[in-house]
Amino acid sequence: MKRIFLSLACAAALATPVHAEDSALLIPPRDGWPLANPMAAAEIAPPPFSLPTERGVNPAYVAGLPGLHQGLETFDDFDRRSLKHDSVLIRQSRVENGEVVIPPGGLAYLEDSWGGEVALRGEKVPILGRTATYIDYDMTVVMHRDVTIPAGQAVAVGGTVYHYYASIGHEQMVNHTLHVRTISGLDWEWAFGSPAFSTTEPNWWGNSFAQLYNQGKLREMSREALVFDWLAGVRMDRMTYAETEVFKGLAAPGDAWTMGGQTLRVAAVDEAAGTATVELVEAGAVVAAKTLGPVLSDRLIEDHDARKALVFEHGDVVAFLSPWPAAFEGGKVSLKVYDDAFAFDYGADFARDPRFAVWPVTCPTGHAFGFMLTNKQEIRLKPGQSVDGPEGYFKVVVNSVEGDHVTSWHVEDRQGNRSADLGGPQIANVDLVLGQGRVTGQSIFKDLGRALLARSYGTQVALETLARPEGGMAPAPAAAPMTASVVPVPAGAPLSPALLLALAVAVIASGAIGYELARRRGG
């Protein structure tokens, strides 16, 4: 297995060092249970532009391209369905000296899963056009003390972002709302709601919260700032995948599988004890061995120790005792064996394209929510130049720049399918939101959907106006972004590309909103 170890960096000046008693402050899911994940031993700086205040400025919106998956159905070994999306973000780009500049971390690819990805279930995950099996993960809990979040601002704690979103006041009463997000921008409001705090409404809101292992204790609250005694957030330090499925099923003592110059064999099965021993043999010698089990079913898959007890990992070989539907049957063990395993480590180089760093994304209880790849170095593009995304999976192309404006640019997939022209005489950057995943199609769209629609429509109208003969008229954009999902068409007018684009984006938006309303009503 190829591994790249992390260089640890101090994250934020506002954070104090880890205290030995930090773990005692956290609330486990049940009395008497240990914490599901260890406390982080060191700080690792989050990826650039993790905060909602650092989003793209007036970004273009592209719903998708044929070569980038949107709503791709994948399944695990138990036929659980999941939808996967390819998403692309560009943040805080600018024009400088006739060139387009994308800062480090400004270009991001997201494996933007609509639902949580669950370890030990054989879930298939698309990775830039390939398919791998998600195996296991390592998650830690990061705690910061004495944290101040000014109104409207945000801080990152591990892989969790806390955003002081609003103060809601009426008469002498007021409550303060905190949005909890991931480093990729996923807002957990859809799953857990948003923590609220109040000193004037103590029967409704308190001064602490626990959303699984995202937890905190507030000391002071006002319309100006929230001050926490401590804030805890989760961080997905490592995710393990495998490219080759070797075996899955019931295995007896003596069963073996050869992978290159190595052989994994079942040395023993003790059904009564709930354990099985596997050995990895190379050149006639046992180079690694582990007794797997027993299964602690009530603590799976979230509990680190319960899960690790089932997993064997050595080099690029990985195997695990599968607890579902039954761990043992007739003196045999339910085993899954994989070859060509690899890992994504938080903040490490992406091995297949080291121009990018990789950032696993997690739910606060232990479900994975895809991964993010960000550029490590500044990108500079002159007119006529382009930059490839990771492994050339997509491309950002700058066609022309005039003064401080990007008058023509687009994004295209590996097959050469292009977006509409996203530039124009009023466009000052190449900031972008592409995709329909949980981040791009819900969290970002919820906050910026009106602006994205207006930007997309306005750009197409401006380009059409430039392309028409002198004196020709393009359809005029609405004075304000539409709140309904219907875009008006002038009587007798043909459907121009601008209106077709607006209609397409509006349909996507209305579908996402309809889904969310149905979910909240239990539909």
Side-chain angles (χ1 to χ4, degrees):
M1 177 182 295
K2 296 179 181 177
R3 287 188 176 81
I4 302 170
F5 294 95
L6 306 179
S7 60
L8 302 178
C10 181
L14 56 84
T16 56
V18 174
H19 293 257
E21 66 274 16
D22 284 350
S23 60
L25 299 173
L26 295 173
I27 304 170
R30 296 184 190 176
D31 291 341
W33 274 24
L35 297 181
N37 304 287
M39 301 298 296
E43 290 283 353
I44 303 174
F49 309 112
S50 295
L51 308 184
T53 51
E54 300 169 333
R55 281 175 171 160
V57 178
N58 191 28
Y61 179 68
V62 176
L65 292 169
L68 301 180
H69 299 302
Q70 302 300 330
L72 175 69
E73 284 191 331
T74 64
F75 297 86
D76 65 16
D77 289 340
F78 307 94
D79 293 326
R80 174 182 175 271
R81 171 177 171 268
S82 183
L83 297 179
K84 310 296 183 184
H85 302 261
D86 289 324
S87 294
V88 180
L89 300 174
I90 302 179
R91 293 82 57 91
Q92 300 295 317
S93 64
R94 65 186 188 276
V95 176
E96 183 178 282
N97 299 324
E99 297 178 324
V100 169
V101 180
I102 302 174
L107 175 61
Y109 165 81
L110 308 180
E111 190 270 291
D112 196 356
S113 181
W114 192 259
E117 297 167 343
V118 185
L120 305 186
R121 294 184 62 89
E123 181 162 350
K124 303 303 183 287
V125 175
I127 300 179
L128 301 175
R130 302 180 304 280
T131 299
T133 301
Y134 172 45
I135 306 293
D136 192 21
Y137 68 93
D138 291 88
M139 192 167 87
T140 55
V141 181
V142 178
M143 183 174 289
H144 291 176
R145 293 177 179 251
D146 299 315
V147 180
T148 298
I149 309 178
Q153 300 301 306
V155 298
V157 181
T160 301
V161 173
Y162 293 105
H163 180 201
Y164 185 2
Y165 192 76
S167 290
I168 308 300
H170 38 95
E171 303 295 338
Q172 300 301 312
M173 315 288 273
V174 64
N175 57 72
H176 313 277
T177 303
L178 190 71
H179 274 214
V180 186
R181 308 174 189 264
T182 67
I183 51 171
S184 65
L186 192 158
D187 192 334
W188 289 116
E189 187 272 340
W190 67 272
F192 310 118
S194 298
F197 314 98
S198 180
T199 56
T200 60
E201 302 163 347
N203 287 348
W204 294 345
W205 317 107
N207 64 348
S208 62
F209 73 97
Q211 289 190 339
L212 311 178
Y213 284 98
N214 288 334
Q215 301 181 21
K217 175 68 182 303
L218 196 63
R219 182 169 69 238
E220 301 173 17
M221 62 187 88
S222 68
R223 294 181 185 272
E224 290 71 40
L226 298 177
V227 181
F228 289 86
D229 282 333
W230 57 269
L231 268 177
V234 294
R235 187 180 72 206
M236 186 67 91
D237 288 346
R238 182 171 177 264
M239 291 172 64
T240 304
Y241 303 85
E243 292 187 336
T244 305
E245 182 182 282
V246 176
F247 173 82
K248 60 181 179 182
L250 293 172
D255 286 350
W257 306 271
T258 298
M259 295 157 279
Q262 303 175 107
T263 298
L264 185 74
R265 69 188 182 196
V266 180
V269 175
D270 188 338
E271 187 169 355
T275 62
T277 300
V278 296
E279 297 175 339
L280 189 66
V281 179
E282 187 174 338
V286 175
V287 296
K290 183 175 180 179
T291 297
L292 307 177
V295 175
L296 301 177
S297 57
D298 59 343
R299 286 165 51 185
L300 289 174
I301 54 97
E302 290 83 358
D303 186 90
H304 173 275
D305 293 344
R307 193 179 63 259
K308 292 298 181 184
L310 306 181
V311 180
F312 170 86
E313 185 180 342
H314 184 83
D316 57 2
V317 174
V318 64
F320 62 88
L321 189 163
S322 178
W324 307 290
F328 298 89
E329 184 179 321
K332 298 181 179 182
V333 61
S334 179
L335 196 67
K336 298 184 179 181
V337 181
Y338 302 86
D339 195 11
D340 301 316
F342 61 96
F344 289 163
D345 295 312
Y346 190 86
D349 284 355
F350 178 53
R352 288 179 177 266
D353 190 340
R355 298 176 302 146
F356 292 84
V358 62
W359 308 91
V361 180
T362 184
C363 166
T365 190
H367 294 172
F369 259 84
F371 62 89
M372 179 167 61
L373 303 173
T374 60
N375 62 304
K376 292 161 50 182
Q377 303 296 327
E378 180 181 81
I379 297 168
R380 284 185 169 267
L381 300 174
K382 295 179 180 179
Q385 292 184 332
S386 64
V387 61
D388 285 344
E391 297 189 62
Y393 194 53
F394 61 89
K395 179 184 295 186
V396 178
V397 182
V398 174
N399 300 310
S400 61
V401 175
E402 295 182 10
D404 294 332
H405 295 93
V406 189
T407 51
S408 177
W409 73 279
H410 67 271
V411 60
E412 60 185 68
D413 62 28
R414 183 179 282 163
Q415 289 77 40
N417 300 296
R418 297 183 176 189
S419 70
D421 195 327
L422 305 173
Q426 80 284 21
I427 301 302
N429 59 39
V430 295
D431 285 4
L432 174 71
V433 176
L434 183 155
Q436 301 172 45
R438 182 67 78 176
V439 174
T440 53
Q442 185 185 65
S443 295
I444 292 177
F445 218 92
K446 178 187 68 175
D447 291 344
L448 302 181
R450 287 166 58 88
L452 292 173
L453 292 173
R455 157 73 163 82
S456 298
Y457 180 61
T459 298
Q460 290 304 306
V461 168
L463 289 172
E464 281 192 27
T465 299
L466 288 175
R468 286 171 179 251
E470 187 173 353
M473 295 293 291
M482 299 296 295
T483 57
S485 60
V486 178
V487 179
V489 181
L495 288 176
S496 70
L499 289 174
L500 287 171
L501 175 69
L503 284 167
V505 176
V507 167
I508 293 166
S510 63
I513 293 168
Y515 171 87
E516 183 67 7
L517 290 174
R519 183 192 68 78
R520 291 171 183 244
R521 292 169 181 158

